[in-house]
Amino acid sequence: MARIAFILLCHKDPDAIIRQAEMLTAVGDYMSIHFDARAKTEHYRKIRSALADNPNVTFARKRIRCGWGEWSLVQASIHAVEAALEAFPRATHFYMLSGDCMAVKSAAFAHEFLDNDDADYIESFDFFESDWIKTGIKEDRLIYRHYFNERVQKKRFYAAYHLQKKLGLTRSVPADLQIQIGSQWWCLRRRTIEWILDFTRKRRDVMRFFATTWIPDETFFQTLVRHLVPEKEIRTRTLTFLMFTDYGMPVTFYNDHYDLLLSQDALFARKISPEATELKTRLGALYANEEATFQISDEGRNLYKFLTGRGRVGRRFASRFWETESSLGRERELMIVICKKWHVAKRVIQRIRQVANVPTIDYLFNEEDTPLPDLGGIQATLGKRTRHRRALMRMLFDYFDTDRLIVCMDPSNLELLHDFAGDRSTTKMLEIQCEFTDAYLTGHAKRVGLAGEQTSAATLERLLPTIRGDMTYESDRIRDADFEHHSVIREGAEPDENAPQIARFLDIPPEKALEIAETPKLFAD
């Protein structure tokens, strides 16, 4: 059975560290602690004293002063790993943690998970080819030598950096290594750890290289694992659930995140707020609970992106340079059916084709696989269609040899609606306002990745009002835009109430519009 040696790097909150160590070792796992030499000596003594009688806890033999982005973090990790390897011969896996991490699964679940797959878990993406680094310097992390800490010695850091650039003092990456990058929160097998430590003793050239790179805790272990372990035995992921804000800062979890954390496909989560005492208590009890079961839905990142994205809807109506293409044509009519329930809109335009004989196209700006003619590649992707929407529309008008064309759009496409409404052509809109049951909203959340099949009822209960409010907000934005030719039909209205709006939109006789409004099961889910 798997036995985990946790490698804990920490620098504060001795009481929390003691509790974390006691919790994780109570079920037979181990812990090796490196407590930053910059931290208070009395804090370190308190931790040593409290855990002195715990045979499953050991400490790095050498404490060093750690700084963010420095080699010292890797060196501290190596010291802690060496201590764990020697102290715990029965440890099968070594799991990197920080003091802000907590288990979101039970020990029984974690052990079974690791037993079922003989592999190393570490993010390792190609340093040069991947887009893992979003901002800041990239190649310069490696080819220049970094002796100073950018956060606390900013002037020296950049002075040394720019001097090397000016003098051309670059260096080569070790020829036999393909540099990798990824999260520093890994879980490696004992054999892999032994190989890495053996490598560090034999390849002093590699150690000297990484010692002066910038943020080596994101590249050192990631590169060595790829160099030493067969690819089929590597899972390029972390078992620690963590997210980052738009500003590159870790998302902090609080008391009300308990259910969300348990539903993620991870064994630990980072980072837990120091004030989240209730969450810490519940998660602390969870690790020793052998009866706990888990429903993995893994919707956390999509859910966070959705919720934090609300309220950031752009209000830019001016055209980009690629949107200055000529008009669709003064004599043409673009008719847009707007509906959140795509199946309802598709049902409406199918009936329109039968009754009014107008060419129609489904959600071409929302669905990649919408059937479209070959227009020379401009229709190939959603990105191309959106960037060159006017050119695309002109080509579709020409292809169908028509002056009237109907397309479907989602209510979230407000920018597109504004762009087409500002064209010299006539743009008409028919908004279909549907009713949203809880069952529909649940299905919608699953379709767009905000929830999974295993998402708990409690999570959905909190999520559904937000989704419902978001859909109402989209409709309100369209109404507030005050488009000139904007008609609305409603699910709760009678056919004879909706028919005049359809007639106005399509410019057809009332009896024809009524045929469309009376379509059986028009709004059915």
Side-chain angles (χ1 to χ4, degrees):
M1 183 183 76
R3 300 283 293 274
I4 306 171
F6 294 103
I7 309 301
L8 180 65
L9 302 189
C10 48
H11 65 280
K12 61 181 181 180
D13 201 349
D15 292 329
I17 293 169
I18 293 167
R19 288 193 299 270
Q20 188 179 30
E22 290 174 342
M23 176 195 76
L24 294 177
T25 60
V27 293
D29 288 323
Y30 311 104
M31 179 172 287
S32 178
I33 300 174
H34 178 277
F35 194 71
D36 196 335
R38 294 178 188 270
K40 295 180 179 180
T41 302
E42 58 267 30
H43 287 177
Y44 181 60
R45 288 174 180 166
K46 183 176 184 179
I47 296 170
R48 292 290 306 236
S49 175
L51 299 174
D53 296 329
N54 190 329
N56 286 6
V57 174
T58 191
F59 292 83
R61 292 184 176 177
K62 183 178 181 181
R63 293 171 61 209
I64 59 175
R65 298 165 65 88
C66 296
W68 186 90
E70 294 180 6
W71 169 253
S72 55
L73 286 175
V74 177
Q75 188 62 67
S77 303
I78 292 175
H79 287 329
V81 164
E82 289 174 334
L85 198 64
E86 180 180 345
F88 310 126
R90 297 181 61 189
T92 61
H93 294 77
F94 295 73
Y95 196 123
M96 177 66 71
L97 290 178
S98 77
D100 296 322
C101 296
M102 287 205 71
V104 294
K105 298 292 186 294
S106 65
F109 183 98
H111 295 158
E112 183 179 1
F113 180 92
L114 295 174
D115 282 336
N116 288 339
D117 190 13
D118 185 21
D120 295 308
Y121 292 86
I122 184 169
E123 282 190 353
S124 52
F125 303 98
D126 188 280
F127 185 93
F128 298 100
E129 299 297 329
S130 72
D131 63 347
W132 199 88
I133 299 175
K134 303 298 183 185
T135 59
I137 62 175
K138 185 173 182 178
E139 182 182 13
D140 292 359
R141 288 190 184 191
L142 306 177
I143 64 174
Y144 296 109
R145 296 165 180 84
H146 302 279
Y147 298 104
F148 304 104
N149 188 297
E150 192 266 349
R151 289 194 172 181
V152 298
Q153 299 171 296
K154 190 177 291 288
K155 289 184 179 180
R156 291 181 177 180
F157 178 91
Y158 284 106
Y161 170 51
H162 291 305
L163 180 62
Q164 291 178 79
K165 292 187 73 172
K166 183 177 180 179
L167 299 177
L169 299 178
T170 61
R171 60 176 175 178
S172 299
V173 173
D176 60 333
L177 293 183
Q178 183 177 3
I179 304 299
Q180 303 288 307
I181 191 166
S183 167
Q184 63 269 50
W185 311 113
W186 39 255
C187 178
L188 304 177
R189 295 167 296 175
R190 186 182 189 91
R191 183 187 64 181
T192 302
I193 289 292
E194 291 172 341
W195 285 349
I196 290 174
L197 294 181
D198 185 56
F199 184 93
T200 64
R201 291 186 284 267
K202 293 179 178 178
R203 292 294 301 272
R204 306 311 300 176
D205 59 321
V206 173
M207 300 296 283
R208 286 192 297 270
F209 170 79
F210 277 107
T212 51
T213 59
W214 181 232
I215 320 182
D217 55 319
E218 294 179 350
T219 55
F220 179 77
F221 288 100
Q222 295 78 359
T223 300
L224 265 58
V225 169
R226 281 285 174 189
H227 184 72
L228 298 170
V229 179
E231 183 175 2
K232 65 180 181 180
E233 298 179 19
I234 301 173
R235 306 293 176 259
T236 309
R237 55 162 296 194
T238 174
L239 295 179
T240 299
F241 177 65
L242 69 163
M243 298 187 293
F244 291 90
T245 68
D246 293 345
Y247 302 100
M249 300 301 292
V251 173
T252 301
F253 300 109
Y254 296 92
N255 290 333
D256 57 349
H257 287 127
Y258 179 80
D259 290 330
L260 180 141
L261 293 177
L262 263 61
S263 67
Q264 303 314 304
D265 186 17
L267 303 183
F268 282 75
R270 183 181 187 272
K271 62 188 212 173
I272 310 299
S273 169
E275 289 78 33
T277 54
E278 179 186 344
L279 177 61
K280 289 185 175 183
T281 299
R282 297 178 72 184
L283 292 178
L286 176 70
Y287 196 68
N289 186 350
E290 297 184 357
E291 306 300 324
T293 58
F294 302 91
Q295 293 182 329
I296 311 299
S297 55
D298 207 30
E299 78 281 13
R301 290 182 177 87
N302 288 335
L303 186 57
Y304 176 79
K305 183 179 180 181
F306 168 71
L307 293 175
T308 54
R310 298 178 69 247
R312 299 180 186 170
V313 180
R315 296 286 180 170
R316 181 192 65 78
F317 304 141
S319 60
R320 304 289 197 195
F321 71 90
W322 59 73
E323 298 166 359
T324 58
E325 300 156 314
S326 60
S327 167
L328 303 185
R330 191 181 300 275
E331 74 286 354
R332 285 172 168 167
E333 268 189 5
L334 176 63
M335 295 178 284
I336 305 174
V337 175
I338 307 166
C339 187
K340 197 66 181 180
K341 291 186 177 181
W342 295 1
H343 61 282
V344 173
K346 292 176 181 180
R347 200 175 291 143
V348 168
I349 66 171
Q350 181 182 11
R351 187 64 172 143
I352 288 174
R353 281 197 299 268
Q354 298 169 348
V355 174
N357 194 29
V358 180
T360 63
I361 301 174
D362 292 347
Y363 286 83
L364 74 166
F365 295 110
N366 302 102
E367 289 187 299
E368 194 92 58
D369 58 355
T370 297
L372 290 171
D374 186 353
L375 302 174
I378 194 174
Q379 83 294 341
T381 66
L382 290 177
K384 286 186 176 181
R385 297 175 202 171
T386 302
R387 284 196 300 273
H388 308 293
R389 59 262 215 157
R390 293 195 185 186
L392 174 67
M393 284 301 179
R394 287 202 315 275
M395 296 173 77
L396 289 171
F397 274 110
D398 292 339
Y399 177 84
F400 288 108
D401 192 21
T402 183
D403 289 333
R404 305 182 79 208
L405 180 65
I406 299 176
V407 299
C408 295
M409 289 191 196
D410 190 89
S412 62
N413 297 136
L414 185 64
E415 184 179 327
L416 292 177
L417 297 177
H418 272 287
D419 187 54
F420 288 124
D423 192 80
R424 289 197 297 270
S425 64
T426 300
T427 301
K428 292 184 174 182
M429 302 178 194
L430 178 66
E431 183 184 357
I432 305 174
Q433 294 184 351
C434 298
E435 298 173 358
F436 303 107
T437 64
D438 286 352
Y440 172 80
L441 293 177
T442 299
H444 173 77
K446 293 177 180 179
R447 286 189 293 274
V448 300
L450 297 178
E453 292 298 329
Q454 303 300 324
T455 299
S456 68
T459 300
L460 286 171
E461 186 177 352
R462 291 194 298 269
L463 179 61
L464 295 189
T466 303
I467 299 176
R468 190 186 303 277
D470 210 56
M471 292 180 175
T472 301
Y473 174 63
E474 289 176 351
S475 182
D476 288 344
R477 291 168 65 212
I478 294 172
R479 182 187 61 198
D480 294 341
D482 196 25
F483 293 116
E484 183 179 357
H485 304 288
H486 178 214
S487 303
V488 178
I489 64 174
R490 297 177 174 82
E491 181 174 354
E494 295 296 328
D496 57 357
E497 296 178 77
N498 286 331
Q501 299 292 322
I502 297 174
R504 178 183 172 219
F505 173 68
L506 294 173
D507 194 20
I508 59 175
E511 58 272 16
K512 290 287 187 181
L514 188 59
E515 283 187 48
I516 298 172
E518 291 179 333
T519 301
K521 299 182 179 179
L522 188 64
F523 294 96
D525 288 336

